[in-house]
Amino acid sequence: MKKVLIISPYFPPVNAADMHRVRTSLPFFEQHGWAAEVVTVDTLYTDMVQDELLLQSVPPAIKIHKVKAFDKRRSSKLGLGSIALRSLWYYRQYVNKLLSQQQFDLIYFSTTQFPVCVLGAYWKKKFKIPYVIDMQDPWHSEYYRDKPKSQQPPKYWFSYRLNKYMEPAAIKNANGLIAVSGQYITDLQNRYPSIKNVPTATITFGMFPPDLDIAVEHQREFKQLLNPDDINIVYVGRGGTDMHKAIKPVFDALAQGLKTDPAFFSRLKFYFIGTSYAPVGLGKPSILPLAESLGLTNQVIEVTDRISYYHSLAVLMQADALFIPGSDDAKYTASKIYPYLLTRKPLLAVFNPQSPAIGILKDFCIDTVYNYDNITPQNINDFLLALDSKSNLPISLSAEAVKTHLAQTKTQLQCELFNVAIKNDRP
């Protein structure tokens, strides 16, 4: 049995989007020849929302190592607020000791806290261990460079320059790359021609049906967010002005419907939940201003505070329909589509024409997925009017697509890449 050491700064019970790849893969690594251990940052050093129920999905036999991090209250004054930068020194010290005591065949970085990935090259040189990086998002990106300052992430000036210099140090020495979007890999290969022969694989997140069982078992414990007297269309996930292009056609149709059929359309309520990564109570609405500009204040509810993962699933299951707006960034994949599909609720999705999410949803035989160039008011009206009876049967999903996109299958693909990476270990 080969051994992989997984570096994931966020891990259950922390409810962070970038830890779900690891969480849903852990039950299946061993059946594909890999024993996994995880090194994460102790929850004492994060202010992210936590969901203790997430621990129920982690196999109890998996060994979890915890490292410290610098206190955010102090380090943020120096511009070092991210968990990656605050934990980097502690990761180096702890894993150095671990690798000097135990033998691992591979190190696997699966996180969007990318600065920790620079340790891959260091450990490879010091301990002769190959490493693979999982690109769940772009690391160094030009996307926000020409955007107004109000649309750029906090401390963008600093992070842009930091990423520009840290990314090549990690990527150029990697023994394999996994990405949720093929375009991420293409961009890296164009930027760093020396990695064109490095093994790569495009692997989206996987469907994990046990999550719905956990959510159903505990649904009575969660705060009720929806009014059952309304027709509720729900989106749970991060917001942003980059989604306005996908949302506006739907809001335009809603505004027109309120004029032509106010009795029905006034019953529709669109919920956007957990749209900000800011601490509780400090998030700024990014969807509501668009709704207000179109006179939809009574129809659109934005909750910027994030809620726990299983609370999110419970809300999706309570909804009458679901809505997934994509980013205007063509590389955006919306990994959240799998929990949405598992609920089998009517689903309206609008993406950039080049988004790979469109093809994934069509694989599942979802016929209400559009791009913002081809969606029409009639498309939207047909979807919304079909919700009138509130007695929609569960939608059907292609059985073949479900099998293809299960977490078990995605884990097998990761392990196949691991096998090639250690076989083709570069000096």
Side-chain angles (χ1 to χ4, degrees):
M1 182 76 68
K2 297 179 287 292
K3 290 181 64 177
V4 57
L5 186 66
I6 301 175
I7 307 299
S8 179
Y10 289 130
F11 192 74
V14 175
N15 180 24
D18 66 343
M19 63 84 197
H20 288 294
R21 164 94 81 191
V22 174
R23 180 183 68 87
T24 60
S25 298
L26 284 175
F28 311 112
F29 277 124
E30 283 204 10
Q31 63 187 251
H32 299 295
W34 286 86
E37 296 184 17
V38 179
V39 188
T40 187
V41 177
D42 194 300
T43 55
L44 294 172
Y45 303 96
T46 176
D47 54 7
M48 292 281 286
V49 172
Q50 297 184 32
D51 185 349
E52 294 294 327
L53 295 177
L54 285 164
L55 294 171
Q56 294 186 15
S57 65
V58 178
I62 299 295
K63 189 167 185 178
I64 310 299
H65 305 267
K66 296 181 179 181
V67 301
K68 297 179 180 180
F70 290 113
D71 189 322
K72 186 175 182 179
R73 291 170 297 182
R74 297 179 180 179
S75 63
S76 60
K77 295 178 181 179
L78 303 174
L80 303 176
S82 79
I83 195 73
L85 296 176
R86 291 189 292 116
S87 65
L88 193 63
W89 187 86
Y90 290 98
Y91 258 115
R92 180 180 181 273
Q93 297 300 104
Y94 186 93
V95 175
N96 276 355
K97 183 177 180 180
L98 185 63
L99 295 179
S100 66
Q101 297 172 343
Q102 297 184 43
Q103 177 62 46
F104 288 88
D105 298 279
L106 181 75
I107 298 173
Y108 182 33
F109 294 89
S110 185
T111 178
T112 56
Q113 300 301 311
F114 291 117
V116 298
C117 297
V118 298
L119 291 172
Y122 166 73
W123 289 324
K124 179 178 179 178
K125 183 177 181 180
K126 184 177 180 66
F127 296 100
K128 312 302 180 185
I129 301 176
Y131 67 97
V132 168
I133 297 177
D134 176 18
M135 302 295 295
Q136 298 181 23
D137 278 330
W139 183 349
H140 172 61
S141 172
E142 301 289 335
Y143 176 78
Y144 289 104
R145 192 174 183 185
D146 60 351
K147 297 287 190 294
K149 189 174 181 179
S150 61
Q151 295 182 23
Q152 294 176 349
K155 301 179 181 177
Y156 175 71
W157 184 93
F158 174 76
S159 61
Y160 174 84
R161 285 155 181 79
L162 182 71
N163 294 339
K164 183 176 181 180
Y165 291 105
M166 294 187 85
E167 182 187 79
I171 297 297
K172 287 183 177 181
N173 291 284
N175 297 86
L177 297 173
I178 291 173
V180 296
S181 168
Q183 189 60 50
Y184 294 173
I185 293 174
T186 299
D187 288 348
L188 289 172
Q189 290 174 332
N190 290 338
R191 195 176 300 154
Y192 312 114
S194 63
I195 68 167
K196 289 197 172 180
N197 293 324
V198 171
T200 64
T202 301
I203 308 173
T204 59
F205 281 28
M207 301 178 79
F208 195 65
D211 279 343
L212 256 61
D213 297 333
I214 296 173
V216 168
E217 182 180 352
H218 295 274
Q219 59 183 332
R220 293 183 180 179
E221 303 170 16
F222 304 127
K223 179 181 178 181
Q224 179 79 326
L225 298 180
L226 310 180
N227 184 345
D229 295 329
D230 297 326
I231 299 175
N232 300 300
I233 302 112
V234 174
Y235 166 78
V236 181
R238 68 102 176 161
T241 55
D242 61 306
M243 293 181 169
H244 282 192
K245 199 167 183 178
I247 296 172
K248 191 172 185 300
V250 178
F251 280 5
D252 284 340
L254 179 59
Q256 184 60 35
L258 286 168
K259 297 176 183 177
T260 58
D261 187 358
F264 170 69
F265 280 86
S266 62
R267 295 167 58 202
L268 299 176
K269 295 292 188 292
F270 277 79
Y271 282 81
F272 296 82
I273 301 171
T275 55
S276 174
Y277 291 114
V280 174
L282 299 180
K284 295 182 179 180
S286 57
I287 308 302
L288 193 57
L290 176 62
E292 291 172 341
S293 71
L294 297 170
L296 299 174
T297 306
N298 294 328
Q299 310 308 127
V300 176
I301 299 94
E302 180 175 6
V303 180
T304 58
D305 291 347
R306 293 171 64 81
I307 59 177
S308 71
Y309 179 67
Y310 290 104
H311 191 181
S312 298
L313 293 183
V315 172
L316 295 179
M317 289 187 286
Q318 293 162 3
D320 298 294
L322 308 177
F323 175 43
I324 307 181
S327 169
D328 57 16
D329 184 353
K331 303 166 191 173
Y332 181 75
T333 57
S335 57
K336 66 180 70 68
I337 63 178
Y338 296 115
Y340 280 67
L341 289 167
L342 282 171
T343 68
R344 298 180 184 265
K345 294 284 184 175
L347 174 62
L348 175 66
V350 185
F351 290 96
N352 183 296
Q354 280 76 50
S355 172
I358 294 176
I360 293 172
L361 287 170
K362 288 188 177 295
D363 286 345
F364 283 93
C365 300
I366 303 298
D367 58 6
T368 49
V369 53
Y370 305 96
N371 68 65
Y372 45 62
D373 288 341
N374 69 12
I375 194 169
T376 67
Q378 190 64 51
N379 297 145
I380 301 167
N381 281 333
D382 289 347
F383 178 85
L384 296 177
L385 291 170
L387 305 177
D388 193 12
S389 66
K390 293 197 73 168
S391 61
N392 298 282
L393 297 174
I395 62 173
S396 297
L397 301 177
S398 162
E400 182 179 352
V402 170
K403 182 178 179 181
T404 299
H405 291 278
L406 282 174
Q408 293 96 312
T409 307
K410 303 297 184 179
T411 306
Q412 178 180 351
L413 296 175
Q414 292 172 71
C415 292
E416 289 173 355
L417 188 281
F418 293 172
N419 292 335
V420 177
I422 63 174
K423 182 180 180 181
N424 297 345
D425 184 10
R426 298 184 296 162

